[in-house]
Amino acid sequence: MKKKQVRLESVEMTIFEIEREKEALLTQARDVWSGNFGVSVANDAAEIGHQNLQRLRRDLERTRDELQEEAQGIQKRLYEIEAQHQLLYEELKR
C-alpha cells in the first residue's frame, strides 16, 4: 500500500510538471512562430499536452481507486481477524 501511495504522489507530481511544461511550450511556440502555421503548431502542442494530461489523470484516479479498494480490503480482513480473536477468547474463557 505504501508503494502505491508513493506511486500516487509520483503521478500527481508528474501531472504538475507536465502542466508546467505544456504551458512553457505553448508560450514558446507562440513567441517563436508567427502567422497561421505557428498558431497551428501551438494548438497541436496544446492538444497533445491535453491528451497526455487526461491520460495521467485517469491513471491517477485508477491508482486512487486501487488504493482505496486495497485499504477497504485490509480493513475488512482486520475486522474478520478481530472477530475471530474475540471468538477464540470467549472459547478460552469457558
Side-chain angles (χ1 to χ4, degrees), residues 74 76-87:
I74 290 170
K76 182 180 176 183
R77 286 191 299 272
L78 180 61
Y79 288 142
E80 289 170 356
I81 290 170
E82 288 175 354
Q84 289 174 352
H85 179 265
Q86 188 66 22
L87 286 173

Side-chain angles (χ1 to χ4, degrees), residues 3 11-12 14 16 22 26 30 35 41 44 49 52 55-56 69-70 77-78 81 91 93-94:
K3 287 181 184 178
V11 170
E12 287 175 334
T14 302
F16 175 76
K22 178 186 85 169
L26 288 174
R30 287 183 180 120
V41 169
D44 289 346
N52 289 339
R55 189 175 318 121
L56 279 171
E69 287 175 16
E70 188 171 338
R77 286 191 299 272
L78 180 61
I81 290 170
E91 285 187 27
K93 283 176 50 177
R94 291 181 191 175

Side-chain angles (χ1 to χ4, degrees), residues 13-91:
M13 182 58 75
T14 302
I15 288 173
F16 175 76
E17 290 172 5
I18 287 175
E19 285 178 334
R20 196 174 59 199
E21 288 176 17
K22 178 186 85 169
E23 290 303 318
L25 285 171
L26 288 174
T27 300
Q28 183 181 15
R30 287 183 180 120
D31 288 345
V32 171
W33 290 300
S34 61
N36 290 335
F37 179 73
V39 172
S40 175
V41 169
N43 288 339
D44 289 346
E47 181 61 29
I48 291 169
H50 182 70
Q51 290 171 359
N52 289 339
L53 188 58
Q54 284 181 326
R55 189 175 318 121
L56 279 171
R57 285 189 174 146
R58 282 192 303 269
D59 289 346
L60 178 64
E61 276 303 311
R62 188 183 71 244
T63 303
R64 279 185 184 153
D65 291 344
E66 289 171 359
L67 277 172
Q68 186 176 17
E69 287 175 16
E70 188 171 338
Q72 289 172 349
I74 290 170
Q75 188 66 40
K76 182 180 176 183
R77 286 191 299 272
L78 180 61
Y79 288 142
E80 289 170 356
I81 290 170
E82 288 175 354
Q84 289 174 352
H85 179 265
Q86 188 66 22
L87 286 173
L88 288 172
Y89 181 74
E90 291 296 324
E91 285 187 27

